[in-house]
């Protein structure tokens, strides 16, 4: 790269290369410059938003020079790259993370203080980048952080939604959705108006003969333009700054269709524009649910086609042969949402590049890996054949061909099992016929992984069982999820991070989380325990203040804080939690004042969004708020029980909540939560957890020890029989739960009718999520929690021991496993001292 620039020019570029600030004075200069020039303001009208903007611009400038050098280095070395395709990236705020990752937060803090600002207030001005629903999107964000930190040449590809996940307001106890327009001012993205791709839809397929060969040509019915927006992703303590490329849609051919415009058809020209922009307008707000909307399929193809075009264009620059494609490119499919990428690459190779089908298919399958994130049937994507045919006629043909060749090979291997073909066909022979995206993803990838051990075992024995027979077990593997300790410890809980650093020989544990094991030898250290407890208390005080400010309810930070924050879903069982809270309330009410005095005060904290169309989830939110309204003003109860619903749970709120929990709830029906990742965040922040034997809870137990976790409930292997018994046997409800239901039906928490469906789900409709079966064990286990918490000394010891054993759950470990087992890629060494060129 460097050599291609003639000597004299090269000298001029080198002489003038940008030097980033390294100290307070340099930082302040940059801030003032941005306030006065970029923002066109002065010190006399520099408010906190302006201070945030200027600080972000100062750090952004720094990141982008690192970004440029990283890209230049990766191009020059030309080694294999990883592409992480995800329809969701739940990034949260960028500034605090950028300051910490480049190691200059202290500098910014001092500089801002001199300019008259508190850094905590400045950081809070930033709007969360909330381009995701929950765990799946946040996992993608943690992976980007690890990929950069570990110096992997890696890109994320996603959609630049104008509206991220909606903002949740609670009005009269009900969820109300408010649009999240977050792009007002976003210093963290760089529009690349020169990087555009035309994406086609609809139309028809024609056959043409070229040089004696028949090829398929897809004539477009509509063309929409994809414009790239790049978001720099800084690694921690490394100059590597990777790229997240988000595509935005707009009408192709510039602002307007000029032909229409000039012929006087102004309105329809504007309408075309609007229609094109609709594609990237809004994130679908469903978590673990697919609803088969045409616009969603359009989003998927738009994003996948633009990304593949970009990847192929980059590959072609190196002038290698197509057979080397899988040596240069690894593409990971985050769930089935990007599965069309398999079909699109096959189309590019066969229809456009003229490769033979088998050769192309070999390249395709060697390139892709597929991660499954759920076994819930309602979350598995299927698209009506008719819809795919209409929107993507050529792709449907290719899907049929892929299926044909696949089924032929299955028939050959299993000649006696006719039903096998029906079961594994990519096309479900239903009314209407459906394309099964998970099956297509399996057939088109070389590796399939689940996200925790139990989950990876379950997919092999249930939904993908036949495919294990067909391909053998080696195609299926496990990569247990992880979280980035940079955001989820260092950034979210700076005091704890500092205390840990003081016992673990500095900040190295943030890059090698297994170093946390050095904490264990300090568990008995009285002073250390005291400081640990003080930090937890301070974090609880901060959360208590937030609760007071947002709900008006005063909670005592000395109470046990019991937290369940995650998307509201029946399988995650917030209903079990609130029924348990009601049970506690009734028990307290039944006590004499003397008995009450001996009880442990508790605050039950809930948070999470319900999908706007998920009626039952919204009823659960309403019940939680209704219980809170009664309990929180009951003078018999006082501090003994408070019930809080925190509005608008998101990444930045999670950063405040996780450090403030004593016990958090991960109580899904066994076998339903693929992994869970907030369980890891809570333990890493010195909180204990109560949970079922599900997802990553099982591995957390194995790592931290059974005595440091509160497990309860039925096991996944018994779920099927229990469900069967509910439907076909006599179904009796737990007697304590029955009392809870009776109290709700008496009207204690408002109009009973509002909650009748929730009760009926358990009593009359087979209790699919086993709320009654697990209720007794749940209540008993909470009593054990109370008892354990009374012994604060031992409790703190449990917390410290747990944290010291959490090294396994860093997303750095995940990324290394993916790199080795699935992608076959290596990190690029960086020379910290050479800032110029490769
Ligand atoms: C989630 C699962 O529900 C979690 O158990 C898991 O930890 C995360 O993915 C990350 O693997 N998930 C989600 O958020 N959205 C889906 N559509 C499917 C799974």
């Amino acid at each position: 790269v460097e050599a291609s620039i003639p000597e004299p020019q090269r000298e001029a570029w080198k002489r003038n290369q940008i030097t980033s600030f390294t100290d307070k004075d340099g930082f302040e200069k940059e801030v003032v410059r941005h306030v006065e020039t970029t923002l066109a303001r002065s010190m006399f009208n520099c408010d906190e938003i302006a201070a945030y903007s200027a600080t972000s611009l100062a750090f952004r400038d720094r990141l982008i020079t690192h970004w440029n050098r990283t890209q230049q280095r990766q191009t020059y070395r030309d080694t294999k790259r990883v592409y992480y395709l995800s329809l969701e990236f739940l990034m949260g705020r960028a500034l605090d993370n950028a300051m910490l990752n480049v190691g200059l937060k202290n500098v910014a803090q001092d500089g801002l203080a001199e300019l008259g600002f508190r850094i905590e207030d400045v950081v809070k001005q930033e709007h969360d980048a909330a381009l995701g629903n929950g765990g799946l999107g946040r996992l993608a964000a943690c992976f980007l952080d690890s990929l950069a930190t570990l110096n992997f040449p890696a890109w994320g590809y996603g959609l630049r939604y104008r509206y991220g996940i909606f903002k949740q307001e609670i009005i009269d106890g009900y969820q109300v959705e408010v649009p999240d327009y977050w792009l007002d001012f976003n210093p963290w993205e760089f529009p690349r108006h020169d990087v555009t791709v035309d994406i086609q839809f609809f139309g028809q397929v024609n056959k043409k003969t070229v040089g004696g060969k028949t090829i398929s040509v897809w004539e477009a019915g509509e063309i929409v333009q994809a414009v790239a927006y790049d978001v720099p992703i800084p690694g921690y303590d490394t100059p590597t700054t990777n790229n997240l490329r988000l595509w935005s849609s707009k009408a192709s051919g510039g602002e307007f269709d000029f032909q229409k415009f000039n012929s006087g058809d102004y309105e329809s020209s504007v309408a075309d524009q609007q229609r094109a922009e609709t594609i990237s307008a809004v994130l679908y707000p469903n978590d673990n649910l697919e609803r088969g909307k045409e616009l969603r399929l359009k989003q998927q193809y738009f994003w996948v086609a633009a990304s593949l075009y970009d990847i192929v264009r980059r590959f072609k620059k190196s002038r290698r042969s197509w057979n080397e494609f899988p040596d240069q490119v690894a593409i990971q499919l985050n769930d089935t949402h990007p599965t069309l990428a398999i079909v699109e690459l096959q189309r590019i190779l066969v229809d456009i590049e003229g490769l033979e089908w088998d050769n192309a298919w070999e390249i395709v399958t060697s390139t892709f890996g597929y991660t499954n994130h759920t076994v819930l049937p309602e979350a598995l994507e299927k698209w009506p054949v008719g819809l795919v045919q209409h929107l993507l006629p050529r792709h449907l043909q290719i899907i049929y061909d892929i299926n044909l060749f696949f089924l032929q090979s299955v028939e050959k291997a299993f000649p006696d099992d006719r039903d096998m073909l029906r079961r594994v066909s990519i096309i479900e022979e239903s009314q209407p016929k459906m394309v099964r995206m998970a099956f297509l993803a399996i057939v088109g990838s070389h590796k399939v992984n689940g996200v925790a051990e139990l989950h990876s075992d379950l997919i092999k024995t249930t939904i993908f069982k036949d495919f294990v027979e067909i391909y053998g077990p080696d195609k299926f593997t496990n990569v247990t999820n992880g979280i980035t300790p940079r955001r989820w410890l260092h950034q979210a809980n700076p005091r704890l991070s500092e205390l840990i650093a003081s016992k673990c020989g500095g900040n190295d544990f943030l890059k090698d989380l297994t170093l946390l094991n050095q904490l264990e030898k300090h568990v008995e250290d009285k002073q250390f325990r005291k400081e640990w407890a003080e930090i937890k208390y301070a974090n609880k005080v901060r959360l208590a203040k937030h609760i007071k400010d947002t709900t008006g309810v005063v909670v005592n930070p000395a109470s046990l804080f019991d937290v369940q924050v995650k998307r509201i879903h029946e399988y995650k069982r917030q209903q079990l939690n609130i029924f348990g809270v009601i049970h506690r309330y009734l028990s307290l009410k039944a006590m004499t004042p003397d008995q009450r005095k001996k009880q442990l005060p508790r605050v039950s904290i809930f948070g999470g969004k319900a999908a706007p169309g998920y009626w039952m989830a919204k009823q659960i939110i309403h019940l939680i708020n209704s219980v809170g309204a009664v309990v929180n003003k009951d003078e018999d109860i006082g501090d003994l029980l408070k019930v809080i619903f925190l509005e608008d749970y998101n990444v930045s709120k999670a950063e405040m909540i996780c450090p403030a929990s004593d016990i958090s709830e991960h109580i899904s029906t066994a076998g339903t939560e693929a992994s869970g990742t907030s369980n890891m965040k809570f333990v890493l922040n010195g909180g204990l957890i109560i949970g079922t034997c599900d997802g990553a809870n099982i591995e957390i137990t194995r790592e931290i020890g059974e005595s440091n976790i509160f497990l309860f409930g039925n096991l996944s292997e018994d779920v099927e029989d229990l469900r069967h018994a509910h439907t076909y046997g006599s179904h009796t409800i737990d007697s304590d739960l029955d009392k809870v239901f009776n109290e709700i039906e008496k009207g204690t928490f408002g109009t009973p009718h509002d909650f009748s469906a929730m009760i009926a789900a358990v009593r009359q409709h087979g209790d699919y999520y086993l709320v009654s079966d697990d209720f007794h064990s749940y209540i008993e286990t909470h009593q054990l929690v109370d008892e354990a918490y009374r012994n604060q000394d031992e409790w703190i010891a449990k917390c410290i021991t747990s944290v010291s054993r959490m090294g396994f759950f860093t997303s750095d470990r995940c990324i290394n496993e993916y790199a080795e087992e699935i992608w076959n890629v290596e990190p690029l060494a960086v020379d910290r001292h050479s800032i110029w060129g490769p």
Side-chain angles (χ1 to χ4, degrees):
V1 176
E2 202 180 338
S4 68
I5 306 171
E7 191 67 31
Q9 283 99 311
R10 205 190 315 166
E11 277 316 307
W13 281 92
K14 280 192 179 182
R15 199 165 59 241
N16 292 301
Q17 75 179 272
I18 291 168
T19 50
S20 305
F21 64 87
T22 51
D23 59 9
K24 179 170 61 67
D25 292 347
F27 168 73
E28 287 177 22
K29 252 203 183 81
E30 285 300 290
V31 169
V32 170
R33 184 174 68 81
H34 278 301
V35 168
E36 298 214 347
T37 62
T38 319
L39 305 175
R41 298 172 76 142
S42 74
M43 65 180 284
F44 301 107
N45 67 350
C46 182
D47 54 12
E48 274 168 353
I49 295 184
Y52 158 71
S53 304
T55 305
S56 297
L57 290 164
F59 276 92
R60 178 188 84 163
D61 287 350
R62 200 192 161 79
L63 291 194
I64 208 66
T65 51
H66 284 270
W67 185 96
N68 279 325
R69 282 164 197 155
T70 304
Q71 300 314 316
Q72 194 185 342
R73 186 166 56 237
Q74 292 178 2
T75 305
Y76 180 79
R77 306 263 181 95
D78 198 27
T79 56
K80 187 170 183 175
R81 289 184 175 89
V82 181
Y83 297 103
Y84 198 77
L85 267 56
S86 180
L87 207 41
E88 304 189 9
F89 287 95
L90 197 44
M91 303 297 286
R93 291 178 178 149
L95 175 58
D96 205 4
N97 184 249
M99 294 190 299
L100 288 164
N101 276 16
V102 304
L104 289 172
K105 185 169 179 182
N106 291 337
V107 164
Q109 179 164 12
D110 296 348
L112 282 168
E114 281 197 0
L115 295 169
F117 297 95
R118 277 162 34 107
I119 197 165
E120 302 82 29
D121 302 331
V122 169
V123 159
K124 279 195 208 135
Q125 301 304 313
E126 185 173 351
H127 203 109
D128 275 33
L131 308 184
N133 276 286
L136 173 141
R138 184 53 232 177
L139 185 75
C142 284
F143 281 6
L144 292 183
D145 181 82
S146 287
L147 283 161
T149 298
L150 297 169
N151 303 306
F152 281 101
W155 287 51
Y157 275 108
L159 276 183
R160 178 182 178 267
Y161 302 107
R162 197 147 22 104
Y163 296 93
I165 188 69
F166 62 85
K167 227 177 100 55
Q168 179 194 55
E169 287 182 6
I170 301 296
I171 297 180
D172 297 335
Y174 285 98
Q175 165 174 301
V176 173
E177 299 95 27
V178 179
D180 164 60
Y181 184 78
W182 67 291
L183 289 171
D184 261 351
F185 173 75
N186 178 12
W188 303 104
E189 64 174 13
F190 289 85
R192 301 279 187 201
H193 295 292
D194 54 327
V195 182
T196 63
V197 188
D198 279 342
I199 307 298
Q200 49 183 62
F201 293 103
F202 307 109
Q204 68 275 323
V205 182
N206 299 320
K207 296 261 184 217
K208 273 201 188 131
T209 312
V210 184
K213 214 174 139 183
T214 312
I215 53 164
S216 298
V217 180
W218 175 23
E219 314 279 5
E222 180 188 87
I223 294 180
V224 178
Q225 195 176 60
V227 183
Y229 284 73
D230 288 345
V231 182
I233 307 294
Y236 174 77
D237 193 27
T238 169
T240 299
T241 303
N242 281 340
N243 197 25
L244 167 59
R245 179 157 284 179
L246 302 176
W247 298 104
S248 182
S249 62
K250 77 185 230 196
S252 80
E255 286 289 286
F256 294 106
D257 179 334
F258 275 101
Q259 213 148 19
K260 274 190 183 174
F261 186 63
N262 289 331
S263 63
D265 200 358
Y266 175 75
E267 280 163 34
S268 121
S269 157
V270 174
D272 287 353
Q273 169 91 358
Q274 290 285 337
R275 199 151 42 91
E277 288 180 5
T278 302
I279 294 180
S280 62
V282 59
L283 164 79
Y284 276 89
N286 303 317
D287 178 86
N288 269 294
L289 179 73
E290 280 300 332
R291 300 189 3 124
K293 289 273 183 14
E294 173 171 332
L295 182 61
R296 167 88 164 180
L297 187 61
K298 263 189 129 172
Q299 286 188 335
Q300 293 186 350
Y301 180 66
F302 171 81
W303 149 62
V304 149
S307 306
L308 265 182
Y309 185 90
D310 211 38
I311 293 166
V312 166
R313 171 169 63 189
R314 195 166 303 120
F315 170 77
K316 280 176 137 188
K317 277 196 201 154
S318 65
R319 304 181 168 282
R320 294 167 191 265
S321 88
W322 282 111
N323 289 331
E324 287 179 83
F325 192 80
D327 304 328
Q328 292 299 104
V329 174
I331 303 178
Q332 191 65 24
L333 306 174
N334 197 24
D335 218 296
T336 54
H337 316 146
T339 301
L340 283 170
I342 289 167
V343 189
E344 176 70 358
L345 183 57
Q346 182 72 3
R347 186 182 76 86
I348 293 171
L349 295 178
V350 173
D351 291 359
I352 300 173
E353 300 294 337
L355 271 66
E356 292 302 325
W357 178 278
D358 288 347
N359 185 201
W361 188 241
E362 177 65 31
I363 293 168
V364 168
T365 52
S366 312
T367 301
F368 288 99
Y370 156 52
T371 306
N372 172 279
H373 293 266
T374 183
V375 294
L376 299 187
E378 65 270 30
L380 296 179
E381 278 191 297
K382 288 177 191 176
W383 292 104
V385 164
L387 176 59
V388 179
Q389 156 95 59
H390 179 57
L391 190 69
L392 304 165
R394 178 60 184 142
H395 293 77
L396 187 68
Q397 292 177 346
I398 294 173
I399 292 170
Y400 267 104
D401 285 344
I402 293 171
N403 196 36
L404 177 71
F405 297 132
F406 168 62
L407 291 181
Q408 281 173 351
S409 73
V410 174
E411 191 172 25
K412 224 180 187 172
F414 303 88
D416 304 325
D417 192 348
R418 294 299 304 172
D419 195 55
M420 173 81 111
L421 297 183
R422 182 191 60 76
R423 291 198 308 269
V424 301
S425 175
I426 294 169
I427 307 296
E428 181 182 88
E429 296 293 330
S430 46
Q431 249 339 308
K433 289 187 188 177
M434 299 288 228
V435 183
R436 296 157 156 168
M437 301 308 271
F439 291 5
L440 178 55
I442 296 172
V443 173
S445 303
H446 68 285
K447 277 270 155 121
V448 177
N449 76 284
V451 291
E453 271 178 27
L454 173 69
H455 170 66
S456 297
D457 288 343
L458 280 176
I459 60 178
K460 283 199 278 185
T461 50
T462 61
I463 53 176
F464 302 152
K465 184 169 185 275
D466 290 321
F467 291 88
V468 177
E469 272 203 52
I470 292 167
Y471 290 110
D474 291 352
K475 180 160 178 164
F476 295 84
T477 185
N478 170 249
V479 182
T480 299
N481 283 167
I483 56 169
T484 169
R486 273 76 65 179
R487 181 175 294 259
W488 295 112
L489 182 52
H490 193 45
Q491 178 181 324
N493 203 343
R495 281 186 66 193
L496 191 65
S497 184
E498 202 179 319
L499 178 63
I500 290 171
S502 75
K503 302 289 176 195
C504 291
N507 273 335
D508 282 358
F509 74 97
L510 292 169
K511 287 196 286 183
D512 175 3
L513 204 63
T514 60
L515 294 176
L516 283 176
N517 64 13
Q518 295 171 92
L519 285 180
E520 206 154 348
K521 59 177 179 283
H522 302 284
V523 175
E524 299 301 326
D525 179 339
K526 287 257 155 53
Q527 180 59 26
F528 177 50
R529 284 191 191 187
K530 187 163 159 270
E531 284 172 44
W532 189 282
E534 276 169 10
I535 291 168
K536 177 61 78 181
Y537 189 78
N539 289 331
K540 288 169 71 179
V541 168
R542 182 172 62 157
L543 180 58
K545 179 172 185 311
H546 176 81
I547 291 171
K548 166 101 195 306
D549 293 346
T550 54
T551 69
V553 180
V554 177
V555 301
N556 179 356
S559 315
L560 185 156
F561 278 18
D562 170 349
V563 182
Q564 186 176 19
V565 285
K566 50 184 86 237
R567 287 299 289 253
I568 312 293
H569 211 301
E570 286 163 281
Y571 88 81
K572 295 178 188 281
R573 297 203 295 189
Q574 284 91 356
Q575 72 276 40
L576 173 61
N577 186 344
I578 192 65
F579 294 152
V581 169
I582 296 173
H583 177 267
R584 178 175 287 261
Y585 176 61
L586 299 179
S587 312
L588 288 168
K589 288 293 271 186
M591 289 177 190
T592 65
D594 273 349
Q595 285 172 312
R596 279 192 204 131
K597 278 195 195 111
K598 295 184 203 128
Q599 301 305 307
L600 189 78
R602 189 185 270 246
V603 184
S604 272
I605 299 165
F606 294 81
K609 292 171 187 177
Y614 192 170
W615 182 82
M616 188 67 95
K618 290 182 150 180
Q619 294 305 105
I620 295 173
I621 293 177
H622 185 219
L623 178 59
I624 296 166
N625 283 307
S626 302
V627 172
V630 172
V631 171
N632 296 345
K633 65 174 199 317
D634 188 328
E635 285 172 4
D636 295 345
I637 301 301
D639 272 356
L640 289 183
L641 184 60
K642 294 282 183 219
V643 182
I644 304 296
F645 190 94
L646 288 175
E647 203 172 63
D648 199 39
Y649 177 62
N650 61 12
V651 172
S652 53
K653 295 213 174 72
E655 288 168 24
M656 166 179 57
I657 296 165
C658 290
S661 123
D662 293 308
I663 190 107
S664 63
E665 310 236 355
H666 309 274
I667 59 177
S668 50
T669 309
T672 62
E673 188 72 275
S675 160
T677 41
S678 75
N679 40 10
M680 304 167 191
K681 292 165 198 169
F682 281 103
V683 178
L684 188 61
N685 279 282
L688 301 185
I689 64 183
I690 176 167
T692 44
C693 292
D694 200 18
N697 291 353
I698 296 170
E699 287 148 89
I700 292 176
T701 307
R702 185 158 72 213
E703 293 294 310
I704 70 177
E706 255 178 280
S707 56
N708 295 314
I709 189 164
F710 297 92
L711 292 177
F712 75 97
N714 284 283
L715 302 180
S716 119
E717 63 237 46
D718 300 322
V719 168
E720 211 184 288
D721 288 349
L722 285 165
R723 280 180 181 159
H724 186 87
H726 293 173
T727 316
Y728 300 103
S730 70
H731 184 207
T732 48
I733 305 297
D734 177 271
S735 60
D736 283 324
L737 183 59
D738 219 43
K739 286 184 197 138
V740 168
F741 287 170
N742 293 338
E743 196 69 25
I744 295 172
E745 287 177 330
K746 262 169 54 190
T748 305
F749 307 106
T751 321
H753 178 74
D754 289 359
F755 312 115
S756 56
M758 283 173 67
I759 295 175
V762 177
R763 278 192 178 147
Q764 276 118 44
H765 305 309
D767 191 13
Y768 189 76
Y769 296 104
L770 275 50
V771 170
S772 176
D773 304 83
D774 285 348
F775 194 71
H776 185 69
S777 161
Y778 180 63
I779 297 298
E780 270 189 344
T781 307
H782 264 303
Q783 275 156 12
L784 297 180
V785 172
D786 279 1
E787 281 163 36
Y789 194 75
R790 285 173 192 283
N791 187 341
Q792 268 299 297
D793 221 35
E794 244 175 67
W795 182 276
I796 299 289
K798 281 181 197 288
C799 296
I800 296 172
T801 308
S802 301
V803 172
S804 77
R805 299 174 182 175
M806 281 296 286
F808 180 75
F809 298 100
T810 168
S811 45
D812 297 347
R813 187 262 316 148
C814 306
I815 289 303
N816 282 323
E817 287 181 11
Y818 278 98
E820 205 156 301
E821 306 261 325
I822 299 174
W823 302 330
N824 193 26
V825 288
E826 288 188 1
L828 262 198
V830 284
D831 179 355
R832 280 156 197 281
H833 304 294
S834 149
I835 48 167
W836 180 255

